[in-house]
Amino acid sequence: MRLVVADANVFVRALTGSVDERQAEACRTELRDADALLIPTHTPLEVMHVLNREALRRAITQRVAEAAYGKFRQLDIRTYEPPAAMVWAWRHNVNPYDGAYLAVALDHEARIVTGDARLARACKMLAIPDLDLHLIS
């Protein structure tokens, strides 16, 4: 079974196409090809934040932001509380929000998909064995 933890950046790219089409399609493919999508509990709020930020800076319209959030809410996603001790242990290398994605991925032996180069670098610095990380850039 192919389990995928995708960060908010991936969902927003997939649902809005707000970056170049190649990246948006890569995000959509990752989400579509997953047998199950897993997210930490804070992700819906982060998706709202990113959509609103993109609309405020006029990278997307409010209508696109609203439609994207509606589509996000319709996705079949499993939400998990990340192991807090794991997130806390990484506090010097990863912010708690990114650590939550990483913790859920490790806890469920899932692939982590991100468009965030900073998160990808932090994961490499932590040198976690068997971490399946895919950076869409």
Side-chain angles (χ1 to χ4, degrees), residues 9-32 136-137:
N9 184 295
V10 170
F11 286 109
V12 170
R13 287 179 184 195
L15 296 171
T16 67
S18 64
V19 294
D20 71 59
E21 187 53 36
R22 183 190 60 77
Q23 289 181 7
E25 186 55 37
C27 292
R28 287 190 286 270
T29 298
E30 284 290 339
L31 298 176
R32 187 176 43 246
I136 296 174
S137 59

